[in-house]
Amino acid sequence: LAAGINGASAWRWNKDRGAVDMTGFIASNGMSSWGQPVAGAYTATGEMADASAAIYYSNSDLVGGPVVIGAFPNGGPGFDQGAGEAYGISDGGIAVGLAYDATNNPIAFRWTQADGMTRLTVNRPDTFSRANGISRDGRVIYGWNDQETGFRSGVIWIDGEPIDLVDADGNPIGEALAASADGRVVVGSGYNTVDGSEAWRWTQATGAQPIGLLASAPAKPGKRLPMPAKTVRSERADARFAPTTDGFGFAEAYAFAV
């Protein structure tokens, strides 16, 4: 199963049906290990400014539409990009993502059908934050919380408690972008070394460690090596805010898989 976005419409794909448009969805960011639901953003009007966080099931069109999570209680409307967006969902239906507080600042959220949307605790509540994903069992959430300088630094929440990620010298590193299904391994970008900004890998035992830089494969005679493609996350989730940046004005490098 896969999900993505094509222009203004999000889609869901499997090998039997191919790509199917998700009616009303303008974003698809993640899914549970079962392949559904898909976490993203939905608008009933077709206007991006009216969008809010939502989750989509394969039978959503048959049962009256998706599950609309909506905006943060008493929160702001966002910046013409909608009032929120879900970025991940656990197998038990816990959704996480980005919404806007009463001052219209982006905040990381956690949502369940029973409890609704709540703000994830961060160590710098006056700066921006976002949850990028969640483990299969819902215990581990990963994302970012800006430093006071505006640097987007990685955070991992374990049972709701935030862990600010730092390098070997105690300096903050970049955002957490993905994790293993059980949440025991988290990876991200922006670990600065003498070689530049590297991708990193985190476990509770080792902390964050730089992965290193991939050596370029030798080019065939007379042929140029193609530039690496952006990740789906960087292409959609970030370019929608400001192309060539990470979504809030900061240039960023990403690890990617092929």
Side-chain angles (χ1 to χ4, degrees):
L1 285 166
I5 186 166
N6 179 25
S9 178
W11 50 265
R12 179 181 184 272
W13 176 96
N14 66 31
K15 64 182 181 63
D16 296 321
R17 298 179 64 191
V20 176
D21 281 346
M22 296 159 54
T23 305
F25 269 72
I26 60 169
S28 56
N29 298 314
M31 62 182 73
S32 74
S33 67
W34 300 103
Q36 68 169 324
V38 177
Y42 170 82
T43 172
T45 66
E47 298 295 329
M48 184 176 291
D50 296 330
S52 63
I55 53 178
Y56 176 95
Y57 290 86
S58 60
N59 66 345
S60 285
D61 290 338
L62 302 178
V63 296
V67 176
V68 178
I69 295 171
F72 187 70
N74 301 314
F79 300 95
D80 297 325
Q81 305 286 343
E85 197 166 322
Y87 277 78
I89 188 161
S90 72
D91 287 359
I94 303 170
V96 296
L98 178 146
Y100 296 86
D101 66 13
T103 65
N104 214 33
N105 279 343
I107 57 170
F109 76 78
R110 178 185 184 273
W111 173 91
T112 67
Q113 190 84 55
D115 299 329
M117 184 184 291
T118 56
R119 181 176 184 174
L120 284 168
T121 300
V122 292
N123 291 321
R124 292 166 300 282
D126 292 332
T127 66
F128 300 169
S129 60
R130 183 177 76 192
N132 286 335
I134 187 171
S135 64
R136 182 171 53 198
D137 64 6
R139 290 191 59 220
V140 178
I141 299 169
Y142 53 89
W144 52 266
N145 175 208
D146 283 351
Q147 296 290 320
E148 300 295 343
T149 60
F151 176 72
R152 181 183 289 189
S153 60
V155 178
I156 296 171
W157 293 266
I158 300 179
D159 294 328
E161 293 298 318
I163 300 172
D164 283 325
L165 301 179
V166 296
D167 63 17
D169 296 320
N171 301 308
I173 61 175
E175 68 178 297
L177 294 168
S180 59
D182 59 13
R184 293 184 180 181
V185 179
V186 180
V187 295
S189 63
Y191 193 114
N192 290 318
T193 71
V194 293
D195 295 318
S197 181
E198 299 185 21
W200 52 261
R201 177 183 186 273
W202 174 95
T203 69
Q204 279 191 294
T206 65
Q209 296 182 323
I211 294 175
L213 301 175
L214 295 175
S216 297
K220 292 182 179 180
K223 297 214 174 180
R224 297 178 62 188
L225 287 174
M227 293 296 291
K230 290 183 179 179
T231 61
V232 171
R233 183 182 300 280
S234 66
E235 187 68 40
R236 201 222 54 74
D238 293 334
R240 211 161 47 90
F241 288 93
T244 75
T245 71
D246 68 356
F248 287 92
F250 303 100
E252 191 161 332
Y254 289 85
F256 64 96
V258 293

